[in-house]
Amino acid sequence: MIEKLCPRCGLRFSYIKRKRVGERYYYYAVHKDKGKITRTCYLGPVGGYEYVSRLHEDLQLQLFSIVERSWVDYVRSMVESRVELALENPSMLNVVAGEVREAARIISEAASRLKLELSMPELEVELKARVKPYKSEVFKAVELEHEHEGSSTLISLTLAERLCHYGVATKEFCAVVEKLKAE
Ligand SMILES: [Zn+2]
């Protein structure tokens, strides 16, 4: 039997679910632990990958066809899922940080073999959001105000504190957290 490893997060899943949204169907990998659903990972649209699903009822096969479709998308979603996982489970942070470093090393080695100049402007990107303290009667948070979209996001003080504690937030962000805590 094939090991059921989720292409999104790399962990074992229990089964594939097909979900209908309007006219289209989408695949999800359902992860269960002791009979309870612990997470579902989005895999992709049914039939969106030039695969005739009616010929094959074997979902595992369809899953592999999804994975093989674009390895760059696959790498991206894999990395993003691992990072999400680490942010949800701080005990995973070190493991995932190691994986990211290793992946970066593989990619830069490949780039130098291909004689590509690897410039990564994303790494030097300036902060796109204004960071502000937010206080209501019942709740303190850090507000991220996106300058171009005109939208803002609230991050609760407890989550914000954890992001600073684990070193994944910027100095500016953590300065606002410290200020809020002191108030
Ligand atoms: Zn998954």
Side-chain angles (χ1 to χ4, degrees), residues 6 8-9 31 39 41:
C6 173
R8 283 280 286 174
C9 69
H31 297 269
R39 66 195 268 130
C41 295

Side-chain angles (χ1 to χ4, degrees), residues 16-61:
I16 304 284
K17 180 176 79 175
R18 214 165 59 151
K19 193 172 151 191
R20 184 178 173 166
V21 181
E23 291 290 287
R24 305 213 56 179
Y25 287 94
Y26 299 89
Y27 282 131
Y28 292 81
V30 179
H31 297 269
K32 277 186 153 186
D33 187 33
K34 295 177 190 118
K36 274 167 85 180
I37 293 176
T38 49
R39 66 195 268 130
T40 53
C41 295
Y42 173 66
L43 299 177
V46 176
Y49 297 90
E50 296 162 22
Y51 189 85
V52 186
S53 62
R54 268 174 212 172
L55 294 179
H56 265 285
E57 283 307 310
D58 186 341
L59 290 170
Q60 193 71 36
L61 258 184

